[in-house]
Amino acid sequence: MMDETLVLLTLAGRRAALPASAVGSVIEIETIVPVPKAAPHIAGLTAMRSQALTVVDCRAALGLGSHQSKPGDRAVVVTVGGHQYALLVDGVDDVEAALSEPRAIAGGFGKGWDEAAIGMVETSGEPALLVDPGQLVNAKFEAAA
């Protein structure tokens, strides 16, 4: 991990990172078509080079409400379980090497982050939360009481 390349991004207002090996591309989303009866974290479908992509609302996947999407929003395209997904993020900042192994997050940031985060990694700037894209795509929701 020490020399793994990371895609640094802003996710639900926090500095986060995804392993660059998991990222296929970064796209701007113009249109999201809602999908009836989809899971709460699925914003809908969008197109990338004539291919349909499922758009994951990362804020909702973390249990932090919904992303107010607008044309030009950025998404990171990842492959999970053989399918491509567009992860809706606040912004994509940079690509750089991890300077440490992931370490436990002191105090945590809440249930959604605890499930999605692998740990905190050092970068040349500030530390970033290393996130497992599969946890965002496969977010679990408790039924409302």
Side-chain angles (χ1 to χ4, degrees), residues 69-87:
S69 61
K70 60 195 173 310
D73 276 346
R74 306 285 279 196
V76 178
V77 179
V78 298
T79 301
V80 175
H83 300 282
Q84 287 191 314
Y85 296 87
L87 304 180

Side-chain angles (χ1 to χ4, degrees), residues 11-62:
L11 179 56
R14 294 200 183 276
R15 181 174 165 91
L18 293 172
S21 60
V23 176
S25 61
V26 176
I27 62 173
E28 281 189 13
I29 295 182
E30 293 304 317
T31 306
I32 299 174
V33 178
V35 177
K37 299 183 181 182
H41 68 299
I42 302 300
L45 299 174
T46 195
M48 178 182 79
R49 295 186 282 276
S50 301
Q51 177 184 0
L53 291 176
T54 300
V55 180
V56 175
D57 180 341
C58 291
R59 284 181 179 267
L62 293 167

Side-chain angles (χ1 to χ4, degrees), residues 4-11 14-21 23 25-26 74-76 89-99 121 123-130:
E4 182 170 8
T5 303
L6 304 173
V7 175
L8 297 175
L9 43 96
T10 306
L11 179 56
R14 294 200 183 276
R15 181 174 165 91
L18 293 172
S21 60
V23 176
S25 61
V26 176
R74 306 285 279 196
V76 178
V89 297
D90 299 350
V92 178
D93 304 320
D94 206 352
V95 176
E96 61 179 71
L99 300 178
V121 292
T123 65
S124 65
E126 355 174 336
L129 278 167
L130 182 60

Side-chain angles (χ1 to χ4, degrees), residues 109-125:
F109 293 114
K111 186 176 184 340
W113 283 111
D114 289 346
E115 291 177 6
I118 297 167
M120 194 69 92
V121 292
E122 293 295 328
T123 65
S124 65

